[in-house]
Amino acid sequence: MSKFEHMNIAPHEVPLEDELKQLLELSAEMHHHLCPRQVLGVRVGLLGMELLGFKKPVRQKRLLVLVETDGCFVSGVQAATGCSVNRRTLRINDIGRIAVTFVNVKTEEAVRIAPQIDVRQKVSDQMEDAESRRARYMAMLQKYQVMPVDQLLKVERVKLSRPVSEIVSRPFVRVDCSVCGEEIINERELTIDGKPVCQQCAGKGYYELI
Ligand SMILES: [Zn+2]
Ligand SMILES: [Zn+2]
């Protein structure tokens, strides 16, 4: 049985042309151009929504989208899911992988979706060796739109390493850092000797004062 069958997805499925076109336009609008990674983002987004049984727009922040890179790919994911950083429904943990984990916030059910490892090769194999870089780029842009889902993407059922409530945190909670006095929102403080401390003052910051 293919990985897709027990998820009620036809493995050869391709997205509806109109829907895909509309989402690619939305993605390109955020981006001022359309590129292969945005197509991957839209296809990954559509599949993630389908596997977890969501339809756009997702109400009440029931879907959390964890993206493993920044850049063009995210625009596609955002267009397909409606999730975004500013709505606190999309998070980027940039580990440089073109992949997304979709989480049902209520049930914690999660699926991770990434392109098939040989997806670029599959496109290349159908081309002459002499084709230019530009031609390869255009081929990817086209092929990623029409490739059957099981050839384009791989799906893994996953379990998050920490509770989704901790990842999302409670919004509107605020405390003051006991060292620098700056406000810390969304439960991002650490507790040292029983007192709230911001990450920077706790020595886990991303900058140094000069
Ligand atoms: Zn791009
Ligand atoms: Zn501080």
Side-chain angles (χ1 to χ4, degrees), residues 70-87:
D70 60 4
C72 309
F73 178 65
V74 186
S75 298
V77 174
Q78 200 170 319
T81 61
C83 293
S84 64
V85 170
N86 38 325
R87 292 194 68 237

Side-chain angles (χ1 to χ4, degrees), residues 31 33 35 38 72:
H31 223 83
H33 70 275
C35 60
Q38 285 175 72
C72 309

Side-chain angles (χ1 to χ4, degrees), residues 4-187:
F4 291 85
E5 276 163 38
H6 61 270
M7 295 178 183
N8 297 320
I9 292 277
H12 302 299
E13 195 167 300
V14 290
L16 298 170
E17 209 181 311
D18 283 353
E19 188 186 16
L20 183 70
K21 197 170 156 252
Q22 217 176 41
L23 294 173
L24 290 176
E25 273 168 15
L26 184 64
S27 178
E29 219 171 87
M30 291 186 241
H31 223 83
H32 308 293
H33 70 275
L34 184 66
C35 60
R37 281 207 183 141
Q38 285 175 72
V39 180
L40 283 176
V42 167
R43 298 275 323 252
V44 165
L46 283 172
L47 182 60
M49 299 274 281
E50 196 169 350
L51 289 175
L52 290 187
F54 286 111
K55 282 213 164 65
K56 208 177 139 192
V58 180
R59 299 244 164 92
Q60 294 163 332
K61 306 189 177 182
R62 292 272 299 276
L63 172 65
L64 177 67
V65 167
L66 306 169
V67 192
E68 298 180 20
T69 179
D70 60 4
C72 309
F73 178 65
V74 186
S75 298
V77 174
Q78 200 170 319
T81 61
C83 293
S84 64
V85 170
N86 38 325
R87 292 194 68 237
R88 306 193 74 242
T89 48
L90 184 148
R91 260 150 221 277
I92 295 171
N93 175 25
D94 188 2
I95 54 170
R97 297 202 293 184
I98 303 193
V100 185
T101 294
F102 297 85
V103 187
N104 180 325
V105 172
K106 247 190 172 168
T107 63
E108 307 224 349
E109 185 191 5
V111 285
R112 182 178 179 275
I113 306 177
Q116 289 280 4
I117 285 163
D118 61 349
V119 77
R120 217 175 302 147
Q121 193 58 45
K122 275 182 193 139
V123 175
S124 268
D125 286 349
Q126 297 169 4
M127 302 186 75
E128 301 292 328
D129 285 345
E131 295 282 9
S132 67
R133 261 186 83 145
R134 179 79 195 152
R136 278 173 203 284
Y137 178 95
M138 294 310 290
M140 278 188 275
L141 189 61
Q142 288 311 317
K143 294 272 156 68
Y144 289 171
Q145 295 180 44
V146 296
M147 218 184 254
V149 72
D150 63 337
Q151 284 181 36
L152 185 72
L153 304 174
K154 67 165 189 175
V155 177
E156 299 162 305
R157 291 259 176 217
V158 297
K159 186 174 171 296
L160 295 178
S161 315
R162 55 190 189 125
V164 72
S165 57
E166 207 178 279
I167 299 172
V168 174
S169 78
R170 286 177 302 151
F172 312 120
V173 176
R174 51 179 132 191
V175 293
D176 292 336
C177 173
S178 60
V179 180
C180 69
E182 282 191 33
E183 185 174 83
I184 310 157
I185 61 168
N186 300 341
E187 300 183 302

